[in-house]
Amino acid sequence: VFQSELPDEELMHNVLTALYSGGRRAIPREVVLPLQPTEEELLSTSLGSDFSLLVPATGERKRMLDLAGENARAELLRREKSGDSAQHECDELAALCDLPESDDPLVIDCFDVSNFQGSNVVASRVRFRSGLADRAGYRRFKIRGVEGQDDFASMREVVSRSLRRGLDEGDLPHLVVIDGGAAQLNSALSARDEVGAWDVRIVGLAKARAERTIKGRRVAQSEERLVFDPTRPALELPRRSAARRLLERLRDEAHRFAITYHRKERGRITSQLDSIAGVGPAKRKALLKRFGSVVGVSRASVEELAAVKGITSELAHLIRDSLAKNRPPS
């Protein structure tokens, strides 16, 4: 989808050039068009003699062209309606969070922390603009100042780093959503106060188990709650709430993005063992079972490594030296 003030004939020439020139994709033998593009001879010369343009008035190709037009119009209408829906969700969430009125598109950041047994802790930030994903605003973070598994300290670190950079670059969001309840929100608020980004509203989105009676039976359900203040009760969001739909999309996307990054990091770090000569699958498994993670292996002494079945003293020295080279600075 794009906007242009060019005449349709010129626009068609530009589209065909953008699609097929420069070897970007295979050039078809035939292209069916609703109108003749400008400079057709130039197109034919640049795209090759086997390339033909057809503007049918009747027949099967005209029916195919009409169907393509109907599909395009239907898709455009669907996108327009989707944009209207997203704006409605933004308006409802802005009112719910008591955000100041503004003509600027609503920018929301959502954070999620991911770890595996306290190792390889990473975090994600996704950004939605006007209710839609803005992938240019996605960020990944390695947690640097937290030892072990401390989700609250990790959340404080990542929010602090993000907001501080936003202040420096003039790129702060209107709203920050934290995946978590009162404790997580408290960590994020501390980070905000620490860097001085007081104009940014921060809320927590927490799932809570609940029971409802449906046709005489008690059914367990998950309810979404919005936490505005760590010291006050959370607000339960109605199931059909437009704001809830937007918040759930945000959280799900932040979770997906964090998990994807975490898996990538785990694979990269595990491969550090695989790259050491003499460490095969069996020895790698034994090392990880004994020390819990690659970080644990890297912190073990030569004597502790050599105590693992199959690890000689020479191999223990090699493992320790290899991991020490690849260890990130603290």
Side-chain angles (χ1 to χ4, degrees):
V1 176
F2 55 90
Q3 294 179 336
S4 174
E5 296 182 358
L6 290 174
D8 288 349
E9 293 80 4
E10 289 184 35
L11 184 58
M12 187 62 69
H13 176 100
N14 290 351
V15 168
L16 290 170
T17 302
L19 284 175
Y20 299 120
S21 67
R24 294 182 178 89
R25 64 187 72 194
I27 299 176
R29 289 186 305 236
E30 182 179 283
V31 175
V32 182
L33 303 173
L35 51 86
Q36 206 73 33
T38 58
E39 302 182 62
E40 182 182 349
E41 291 184 4
L42 178 60
L43 276 173
S44 299
T45 301
S46 61
L47 300 180
S49 58
D50 294 335
F51 180 79
S52 63
L53 302 175
L54 298 178
V55 183
T58 60
E60 181 61 24
R61 287 183 176 79
K62 181 63 167 66
R63 286 191 291 272
M64 292 170 61
L65 187 65
D66 290 342
L67 179 60
E70 290 175 14
N71 288 339
R73 282 186 288 273
E75 173 64 12
L76 184 61
L77 182 60
R78 187 195 67 79
R79 294 194 184 194
E80 288 175 348
K81 287 183 177 179
S82 175
D84 292 342
S85 175
Q87 187 58 53
H88 173 59
E89 292 171 347
C90 287
D91 292 342
E92 184 173 300
L93 182 59
L96 191 63
C97 295
D98 196 26
L99 298 177
E101 291 188 8
S102 173
D103 294 331
D104 296 329
L106 179 64
V107 178
I108 312 172
D109 287 351
C110 184
F111 294 89
D112 186 40
V113 173
S114 179
N115 67 75
F116 178 71
Q117 296 178 350
S119 66
N120 312 334
V121 183
V122 299
S124 71
R125 185 195 85 186
V126 299
R127 171 166 289 185
F128 276 29
R129 190 181 300 272
S130 298
L132 302 173
D134 177 11
R135 297 190 181 276
Y138 282 28
R139 296 291 183 271
R140 288 166 168 162
F141 302 87
K142 289 183 183 178
I143 303 302
R144 300 186 296 222
V146 180
E147 287 290 332
Q149 184 172 346
D150 187 338
D151 288 348
F152 305 131
S154 297
M155 183 63 74
R156 177 168 179 160
E157 178 184 322
V158 71
V159 172
S160 174
R161 286 165 58 186
S162 178
L163 292 182
R164 183 175 285 110
R165 182 172 180 176
L167 277 172
D168 293 341
E169 298 178 357
D171 187 33
L172 287 173
H174 301 102
L175 177 68
V176 166
V177 177
I178 300 301
D179 180 20
Q184 288 279 31
L185 175 59
N186 194 54
S187 298
L189 291 172
S190 297
R192 181 192 66 181
D193 294 343
E194 178 183 306
V195 302
W198 296 290
D199 290 338
V200 178
R201 187 84 158 97
I202 303 183
V203 297
L205 182 64
K207 275 187 179 292
R209 299 294 295 175
E211 281 191 350
R212 294 187 184 275
T213 302
I214 300 177
K215 295 182 179 180
R217 292 186 304 160
R218 287 190 172 183
V219 179
Q221 294 180 324
S222 293
E223 296 299 340
E224 301 286 6
R225 286 179 164 80
L226 199 57
V227 186
F228 296 103
D229 186 326
T231 64
R232 295 183 180 180
L235 173 69
E236 184 175 313
L237 295 169
R239 285 181 171 273
R240 298 183 181 276
S241 162
R244 173 171 169 165
R245 290 197 301 270
L246 175 54
L247 289 166
E248 287 177 333
R249 284 206 314 277
L250 261 168
R251 183 191 49 212
D252 291 347
E253 179 65 357
H255 184 65
R256 180 201 65 78
F257 194 50
I259 289 294
T260 301
Y261 182 38
H262 188 242
R263 286 173 178 165
K264 179 181 177 182
E265 283 298 297
R266 282 176 60 189
R268 183 188 65 80
I269 292 174
T270 301
S271 69
Q272 292 179 10
L273 285 176
D274 296 331
S275 65
I276 300 173
V279 178
K283 291 177 182 176
R284 181 189 69 188
K285 184 177 180 180
L287 287 166
L288 293 176
K289 183 178 180 180
R290 170 65 179 81
F291 299 105
S293 67
V294 177
V295 174
V297 176
S298 69
R299 291 173 178 170
S301 66
V302 171
E303 291 76 16
E304 289 172 327
L305 292 171
V308 176
K309 184 178 179 180
I311 305 297
T312 64
S313 177
E314 291 79 11
L315 182 55
H317 278 94
L318 179 60
I319 292 171
R320 184 163 175 79
D321 292 344
S322 298
L323 293 181
K325 292 177 183 178
N326 294 321
R327 187 183 303 165
S330 58

